[in-house]
Amino acid sequence: MTIGACVGAVPAGAITERFGRKGTMLLLAVPFTISWLLILFASNAAMLYAARAIAGFATGATSVAAPLYCAEIAEPTIRGTLGTFFQLQVTIGILLTFIVGGFASYTALAGVSLAVPILWFATVMLLPETPMFLLKKNNPQAAKRALRRLRGVTYDGIDWEVAEMQRGIDAAADNDASIKELLSSRAVIRALVICLGLMVFQQVSGINAVMFYAVTIFEKAGSSLKPEIATIIVGVVQVLATGLAAVLVERAGRRLLLLGSAALMALAHIVLGVYFHLSDSGTDVSSLGWLPLLCVVLFVVVFSLAFGPIPWMMAGELFADDVKATASTAAAAVNWSMAFAVTKVFPTLMSGVGVPGTFWIFGGCCVAATVFVAVLVFETKGRSQAEVQDILSGKRM
């Protein structure tokens, strides 16, 4: 699935520019539907592999198109909150999988999941295209109508907001440059370092390893709870924590949440590693059967508060309009590449360096993430795109 996502992310920026943000999301309902039908009627393993690769392609493209749509329809005062909703829906999907998958066959899960892209298509049909895309297609009247639907009939700033969007598009056209020229810009390079660094650390924190192998982790821990129940608890906590992030991100800011998230993820991994080390060395840890669940829940909570939603959000905040689509594609491709690497390496690490060593490695990555955020990431909360670009280029602090 993650390999397919790497591939799907690459053309996504160009597709959204050709067919629109809404049009792209409608198109992506097709491969999602095909993937679940393949799983539902699979007669061999090759069909399952094909289904997951197709689902991955659609997922990678969606991770570009959906955040871009959210960024372009959001008012500045709710940009951060709306940006977290992408990750919130991801966690709801994971919880649905844990609940159905914990008590039913994978074909039953496929049947339930088949309804999701159908619902997706029906609801996206009701949405307007983004005013920004419509302006890029030289259709200001359609852009005004779309903005009226988004802002409400009593909003009196339609003309002003469309004019501001048009100025941004004109400026981006004036600054149109080759990839080589863009990479010579200090602002673009620094934005890429921050954005891609956050994407890498999001994955090497071990989130997908923990979520994909949650049942295995709880089985090895000898938890007093059934592994299926423990994973559902983790899924519920993840949804609630991501919902809380939507509230906190415009209050506490991006940088502070990222710092706290990375530090506490490191603590959770280290303590989990110590638990498994004591267990492997023959120490009686039966009275600590609750500790693995607590550590995993802590890890999931603090990840969901910051390192889950904020990297995707900042991908839309750090780049000017003329490079945003290309940068979003690069960010998604790097994210899914790292997701594949971590997911693939996790079982090998478990058998090679042992369970304790595996969690200590993830803990070390989270310590490195803390240092990265402290040194390189600045606060974007409440700042306009122009102010962010000035900071990136060194014109202001």
Side-chain angles (χ1 to χ4, degrees), residues 227-249:
E228 293 83 0
I229 300 299
T231 53
I232 290 173
I233 292 173
V234 169
V236 171
V237 168
Q238 188 180 31
V239 171
L240 295 176
T242 308
L244 181 60
V247 177
L248 291 178
V249 73

Side-chain angles (χ1 to χ4, degrees), residues 8-26:
V10 174
I15 293 172
T16 59
E17 291 299 315
R18 173 72 183 275
F19 298 103
R21 288 56 163 145
K22 174 182 176 178
T24 300
M25 292 191 291
L26 287 172

Side-chain angles (χ1 to χ4, degrees), residues 241 257 260-262 264-265 268 297-308:
L257 286 175
S261 176
L264 288 173
M265 284 193 298
V297 166
L298 173 64
F299 171 81
V300 168
V301 166
V302 294
F303 174 87
S304 301
L305 284 175
F307 260 92

Side-chain angles (χ1 to χ4, degrees), residues 234-292:
V234 169
V236 171
V237 168
Q238 188 180 31
V239 171
L240 295 176
T242 308
L244 181 60
V247 177
L248 291 178
V249 73
E250 292 296 357
R251 297 184 181 183
R254 286 71 157 143
R255 188 172 183 273
L256 180 62
L257 286 175
L258 286 169
L259 282 170
S261 176
L264 288 173
M265 284 193 298
L267 176 64
H269 277 311
I270 292 168
V271 172
L272 201 54
V274 170
Y275 173 89
F276 281 112
H277 175 70
L278 293 174
S279 177
D280 291 348
S281 63
T283 304
D284 183 12
V285 292
S286 58
S287 62
L288 298 175
W290 49 269
L291 188 59

Side-chain angles (χ1 to χ4, degrees), residues 80-151:
T81 299
L82 197 60
T84 64
F85 281 15
F86 174 72
Q87 184 67 19
L88 178 61
Q89 304 300 348
V90 171
T91 62
I92 291 172
I94 292 171
L95 177 58
L96 173 67
T97 303
F98 281 168
I99 292 173
V100 179
F103 302 100
S105 67
Y106 77 87
T107 51
L109 174 60
V112 172
S113 299
L114 178 60
V116 176
I118 296 172
L119 180 63
W120 158 281
F121 185 88
T123 52
V124 172
M125 280 290 292
L126 302 175
L127 302 178
E129 182 56 85
T130 70
M132 181 73 75
F133 176 76
L134 293 170
L135 283 175
K136 287 182 178 180
K137 294 301 180 181
N138 298 314
N139 196 341
Q141 293 307 313
K144 289 180 180 180
R145 288 194 297 271
L147 196 60
R148 175 66 66 195
R149 285 188 60 193
L150 291 164
R151 300 291 186 261

